[in-house]
Amino acid sequence: MNPFALAILLISMFIGTMVTLTSSHWLLAWLGLEISTLAIIPLMITDHHPRATEATTKYFLTQATAATLILFSALINAWNTGMWELKELSPLSSNMLSLALMMKMGLAPLHFWLPEVLQGLSLTTGLILSTWQKIAPIALMYMIFSSLNIQVLMIMGLLSIIVGGWIGLNQVHLRKVIAASSIAHLGWMMIILPFSPHIMMLTFLIYILMTTAMFLSFKIFNATQIKMLTIAWTKMPVLVALMMFILLSLGGLPPTTGFLPKWFILQELTLQHIPSIATVMAISSLLSLFFYLRLTYALTLTYSPNTVNSTIMWRFKFNNMFYLPLMVVMVLATFLLPLTPSLISF
């Protein structure tokens, strides 16, 4: 892609997200979401591959449907309350907005588009879709959390945790595994949102760091399938060792960084006298932990001479532009655990 066109698209995504983050009017929030959505579509279709075309079409139709629901619910809310402010929501508008924003993020049962779309994209565009494109919907949920229906959030959040862990069990494509991971992590965020939005934002921040580190590592390995990870240890053992901690952190194993947000969430749910949901969440997280351990096994406990199904890649084509951001997010995602109590108190 032309560098000037790429710069314009990236700046448009940034502007669209910033418009949504700084808006107090539903039309401006909707406008920011639309700018961000339309800016990423040319990046998705850059590969000129039938799978990329299919992914772009599915993404556009899904996001257009969600944007229509957002605008329609804002109109209904303005009709009922006479205001366009984000804080004032009628019950009907609140439920419709919750469903629309969850469709934009890819929560179950509205997750049908996310694995297929992510599978048809390059790793770089998939990174943008999995991290940056979720900032604006999450921010809107954070701003209107007091008006949201707790039952809807709890049901869809719990369903997302179960479905995200379930669909990732038999996947061999890394991008579909990341999609399942995204669905499950967003389910944890939605459940804790009405009780402690600060814990939700902390969980989202750590999710972005770990997902970015995982995508950039796969980009350097040039890996899109699990079997392609089996030769990574002989090429870059230090990065593979750090990647093992990232995968275990995504699974929520102590004493990694990803353990403490889940501990905070379970503790807060117990304090809110709903230990049954906390127990189901803790048990369902074992589903996600299984495929994280599967990736860890492929990375660290296998190597090329012992695997007959993997293709030996004698030369890696390294791109230096990914090294610096990978080092930053890898250090933050690996060693953020001691600072997490300070962040939550801040």
Side-chain angles (χ1 to χ4, degrees):
M1 179 178 287
N2 188 292
F4 296 102
L6 178 61
I8 291 174
L9 293 175
L10 294 178
I11 292 172
S12 298
M13 277 194 293
F14 178 80
I15 291 176
T17 303
M18 291 300 108
V19 167
T20 302
L21 293 180
T22 57
S23 63
S24 60
H25 195 282
W26 274 114
L27 281 181
L28 288 178
W30 172 81
L31 180 63
L33 290 173
E34 287 301 289
I35 293 174
S36 182
T37 299
L38 293 177
I40 197 177
I41 288 178
L43 298 178
M44 300 172 68
I45 201 66
T46 304
D47 291 339
H48 301 292
H49 189 273
R51 184 169 291 175
T53 305
E54 179 185 358
T56 306
T57 305
K58 289 180 179 179
Y59 180 77
F60 175 75
L61 293 176
T62 305
Q63 298 299 309
T65 303
T68 304
L69 282 176
I70 292 174
L71 190 58
F72 185 59
S73 59
L75 288 172
I76 293 177
N77 184 68
W79 180 271
N80 292 330
T81 63
M83 300 177 64
W84 288 88
E85 297 295 324
L86 294 179
K87 297 293 184 180
E88 300 293 333
L89 287 177
S90 62
L92 178 60
S93 300
S94 173
N95 293 333
M96 291 182 62
L97 279 169
S98 299
L99 294 176
L101 292 174
M102 290 178 183
M103 180 182 292
K104 271 191 167 294
M105 291 185 289
L107 273 84
L110 305 173
H111 68 287
F112 54 89
W113 61 273
L114 184 57
E116 299 299 327
V117 168
L118 207 57
Q119 174 63 22
L121 304 180
S122 64
L123 289 172
T124 306
T125 311
L127 170 62
I128 299 174
L129 181 64
S130 300
T131 55
W132 184 264
Q133 291 297 99
K134 297 187 187 304
I135 294 177
I138 283 286
L140 285 178
M141 298 286 283
Y142 178 82
M143 288 187 281
I144 64 174
F145 76 94
S146 59
S147 302
L148 298 178
N149 191 326
I150 296 179
Q151 285 77 19
V152 173
L153 292 178
M154 299 287 282
I155 292 174
M156 297 192 70
L158 192 59
L159 187 61
S160 298
I161 295 173
I162 298 173
V163 171
W166 190 262
I167 66 176
L169 292 178
N170 61 341
Q171 299 296 336
V172 296
H173 297 282
L174 294 175
R175 284 165 290 187
K176 286 190 175 182
V177 171
I178 297 174
S181 172
S182 174
I183 295 170
H185 278 88
L186 287 173
W188 284 80
M189 299 176 205
M190 290 302 105
I191 287 181
I192 198 59
L193 175 61
F195 305 110
S196 180
H198 300 293
I199 295 179
M200 187 275 295
M201 293 304 295
L202 174 65
T203 308
F204 181 61
L205 173 62
I206 294 178
Y207 160 77
I208 286 181
L209 290 176
M210 294 187 297
T211 304
T212 303
M214 188 164 54
F215 262 109
L216 293 179
S217 300
F218 292 158
K219 180 71 176 179
I220 288 180
F221 294 145
N222 196 21
T224 56
Q225 296 184 6
I226 294 179
K227 67 179 182 179
M228 300 173 69
L229 297 176
T230 57
I231 60 173
W233 179 263
T234 57
K235 300 296 182 180
M236 300 187 71
V238 177
L239 180 57
V240 169
L242 292 175
M243 191 61 191
M244 178 187 68
F245 289 105
I246 296 297
L247 292 172
L248 296 179
S249 184
L250 282 167
L253 280 182
T256 56
T257 304
F259 166 71
L260 210 54
K262 291 187 177 181
W263 175 260
F264 282 149
I265 292 174
L266 296 177
Q267 182 185 27
E268 183 65 28
L269 292 176
T270 305
L271 294 176
Q272 296 292 333
H273 305 291
I274 42 179
S276 57
I277 293 182
T279 303
V280 174
M281 291 170 62
I283 295 175
S284 301
S285 65
L286 297 176
L287 295 172
S288 300
L289 181 60
F290 174 81
F291 58 78
Y292 293 131
L293 290 175
R294 186 182 177 194
L295 294 179
T296 304
Y297 172 79
L299 269 174
T300 59
L301 298 180
T302 58
Y303 55 94
S304 182
N306 292 343
T307 53
V308 296
N309 293 326
S310 62
T311 303
I312 298 177
M313 299 171 60
W314 293 104
R315 295 181 179 89
F316 280 90
K317 296 181 179 179
F318 297 116
N319 194 335
N320 293 330
M321 65 176 293
F322 294 108
Y323 281 142
L324 180 59
L326 176 60
M327 288 188 293
V328 173
V329 296
M330 188 70 75
V331 170
L332 289 176
T334 307
F335 301 106
L336 199 60
L337 179 62
L339 300 177
T340 310
S342 301
L343 292 175
I344 195 64
S345 62
F346 177 76

